[in-house]
Amino acid sequence: MTSANNSIPALLPRGRGHQFLLYGDSCSGVPGALHEKTFASVNAVAQRLSPQPEFVLFPGDEIIGLTPDPDALRAQWRYWLDTEMAWLDRAVIPMWHTTGNHTTYDLMSEAVFRAVLELPKNGPPGQAGLSYFVRRGDLLMVFVNTLWSGLGGEGHVELGWLETTLREHGDARHKLVLGHHPVFPINGFTGTYQREIGHEYARPFWEILVNENVLAYLCSHILAFDVQAHRGVLQICTAGAGTAHRMPEGVEYLHCVQAALDEQGLRYQVLDIDGVVRERMEWPLRDPDSALWRELPLGEIEAPFRGCVQSGRRIELRLVGQSAATDVASAQTIFTAFAPGSIAPFWLGLRGPKQTLTAIVGREPGRSPSYWLGPDLPAGDGFDIHVTLYPDMGPGGLLYRDHGSPRWSSFTSATARGLEQLVWPQHWAIGHGQGGSEDRAFRGAGLSLLIA
């Protein structure tokens, strides 16, 4: 038992709701192997949560698997369930799993997965015990199989059953979909069928989630913690439960995620193996108080604030104007933050022939900056776009939405770091770059920038 002074306070629902533990990718199940020790370090933190979770979600790759020997595979599962997870009373705190590339890689391993875990058999034809749903009061959880042998194996996923199941449970206040493979690339690691679901599935899969008001898609596979939003739906990746590799090393870390759901939305905290909260978030994002909005004048100004973007502090911008009517491919500044004598650490504007809304974020001197790509702006069209900087979301924490729409989307990036280390310089320029009025000037009309 964990002593009270060593406990970690769990986030609890504000009123009615649910609180749970989410973690994935331990690749263990072999006594004395490397991943047994790392998995134990994460489980030691999970055991300190007070109160303990109501249920546990594990989106795949519990064991190292990938063996042609069914007896060896069953032995891994038995060790993982009966020894490594012996701390969890599954009769009191249920645990639900998704299939994974280490656990369901052929017909034999699918049969072992079904027999060992005995998951609900309410999935699509041929996938009993592999894909299924669970309903807990006002919460629906749909577990999809992103590598069924009957569809072609890794990266393939059934869509019709997913859509039907979500529609049949349209009365659920909270809807979560879980699968092993991400839909959108993480930290720049990408590859159809291997690192994400097959790219031909991505758009229709996400369309279903958006249309059926799903809150989040929970996945693992990429050895990182990552969150991003697409058209108002979150993709949350947690793959730090023990696999002793990182994507990339030096940035990502072993972790588990404790989360709470209630009528106000989702909150989570990401705990490392020392029990330290490394990342946290609340969703959906709340709109700033209308009284806080401030319009910034065009030209060079002194920054509205100085120093680091503090953890938990959001900045929201509203960009209003008309894009250039003629072909303009050169960079056009909406605003930039800079210090004299150095390259601006933050630049937001339009780049390329499609006038793509782009953020460029500098790291450290001598290192190339990172690029975040947003929507394309049609030539000559008016725009009214909100951009928010939310450091606690990591790389997904630069988001945009059209004015009047509640659905935020993360800018696309190929970086593993977000805006948490961004330091705002003293000087800002609106409508042109740091070099003066003709430096990467905005070529459209009626530009207005507001900040909250």
Side-chain angles (χ1 to χ4, degrees):
M1 295 294 291
T2 300
S3 64
N5 60 7
N6 195 37
S7 65
I8 298 172
L11 298 174
L12 300 177
R14 295 158 292 194
R16 295 179 54 190
H18 313 266
Q19 71 100 351
F20 58 92
L21 177 67
L22 168 69
Y23 65 154
D25 281 73
S26 52
C27 287
S28 197
V30 178
L34 172 64
H35 298 165
E36 181 184 25
K37 183 177 180 180
T38 48
F39 185 38
S41 69
V42 179
N43 278 329
V45 172
Q47 292 175 73
R48 291 167 56 191
L49 286 167
S50 179
Q52 282 286 283
E54 297 168 11
F55 55 88
V56 176
L57 304 176
F58 207 103
D61 284 359
E62 295 82 355
I63 58 173
I64 195 68
L66 296 177
T67 173
D69 183 348
D71 291 334
L73 191 63
R74 281 190 286 267
Q76 289 183 28
W77 275 114
R78 288 269 63 89
Y79 189 75
W80 193 89
L81 289 165
D82 298 342
T83 301
E84 295 181 278
M85 292 299 295
W87 65 272
L88 182 71
D89 185 348
R90 299 196 304 277
V92 176
I93 302 174
M95 178 166 53
W96 292 292
H97 309 254
T98 73
T99 53
N101 56 296
H102 280 260
T103 58
T104 54
Y105 43 88
D106 58 16
L107 287 170
M108 176 275 294
S109 56
E110 287 178 346
V112 171
F113 184 93
R114 286 181 167 109
V116 170
L117 294 179
E118 297 183 311
L119 296 166
K121 296 178 173 59
N122 53 18
Q127 296 196 58
L130 301 175
S131 187
Y132 59 97
F133 69 87
V134 172
R135 182 74 187 258
R136 286 176 67 93
D138 62 356
L139 170 62
L140 172 70
M141 295 175 286
V142 184
F143 299 77
V144 298
N145 181 6
T146 59
L147 61 167
W148 183 41
S149 59
L151 278 177
E154 188 163 2
H156 296 271
V157 61
E158 164 68 38
L159 300 180
W161 172 82
L162 169 63
E163 184 173 32
T164 298
T165 302
L166 290 169
R167 286 183 176 175
E168 289 177 346
H169 293 267
D171 63 318
R173 176 184 291 275
H174 309 292
K175 299 177 187 176
L176 301 175
V177 175
L178 295 91
H180 186 63
H181 293 76
V183 177
F184 299 97
I186 292 165
N187 290 355
F189 294 96
T190 185
T192 189
Y193 306 116
Q194 298 174 78
R195 288 174 168 160
E196 301 101 47
I197 63 171
H199 289 173
E200 74 272 28
Y201 297 102
R203 182 180 294 273
F205 184 95
W206 210 257
E207 193 77 22
I208 292 169
L209 304 193
V210 172
N211 290 341
E212 301 306 322
N213 296 311
V214 170
L215 173 66
Y217 175 64
L218 312 179
C219 59
S220 56
H221 191 53
I222 301 299
L223 301 174
F225 177 80
D226 182 79
V227 59
Q228 48 191 277
H230 296 276
R231 298 170 61 195
V233 181
L234 296 175
Q235 174 181 276
I236 301 175
C237 175
T238 173
T243 307
H245 314 288
R246 305 273 66 80
M247 297 171 75
E249 302 289 350
V251 176
E252 299 297 344
Y253 53 97
L254 294 170
H255 67 270
C256 60
V257 184
Q258 190 270 321
L261 271 172
D262 55 41
E263 294 184 0
Q264 298 179 52
L266 171 71
R267 294 175 296 148
Y268 66 66
Q269 54 182 346
V270 187
L271 302 162
D272 66 17
I273 57 174
D274 295 318
V276 175
V277 177
R278 296 279 290 270
E279 302 176 65
R280 68 179 82 222
M281 195 185 76
E282 295 191 22
W283 190 265
L285 301 181
R286 292 180 174 82
D287 292 335
D289 187 325
S290 59
L292 297 177
W293 284 103
R294 170 184 173 188
E295 185 168 1
L296 302 180
L298 298 180
E300 188 171 334
I301 64 170
E302 186 173 333
F305 49 84
R306 301 182 185 181
C308 296
V309 181
Q310 298 173 358
S311 177
R313 180 176 181 180
R314 276 178 56 212
I315 299 168
E316 188 164 331
L317 306 171
R318 183 179 175 187
L319 323 176
V320 182
Q322 183 178 1
S323 60
T326 56
D327 291 337
V328 177
S330 58
Q332 306 173 62
T333 304
I334 292 177
F335 92 91
T336 183
F338 64 95
S342 62
I343 295 175
F346 190 88
W347 183 92
L348 179 69
L350 309 179
R351 296 174 74 247
K354 293 184 178 180
Q355 301 193 70
T356 303
L357 184 62
T358 305
I360 304 176
V361 181
R363 298 298 185 197
E364 51 194 83
R367 300 297 300 273
S368 296
S370 297
Y371 290 76
W372 274 263
L373 306 178
D376 299 331
L377 302 188
D381 275 13
F383 59 85
D384 190 345
I385 299 172
H386 288 243
V387 172
T388 196
L389 285 68
Y390 191 7
D392 284 351
M393 281 186 70
L398 188 62
L399 307 102
Y400 68 91
R401 64 176 174 88
D402 288 331
H403 181 67
S405 168
R407 294 190 176 273
W408 290 99
S409 291
S410 296
F411 281 60
T412 301
S413 71
T415 177
R417 295 190 185 276
L419 305 171
E420 61 275 4
Q421 295 179 333
L422 178 63
V423 176
W424 290 105
Q426 183 176 354
H427 299 277
W428 279 23
I430 292 89
H432 62 74
Q434 68 188 89
S437 60
E438 292 305 311
D439 175 24
R440 293 165 290 169
F442 180 70
R443 301 300 181 188
L447 180 63
S448 174
L449 176 67
L450 299 92
I451 185 170

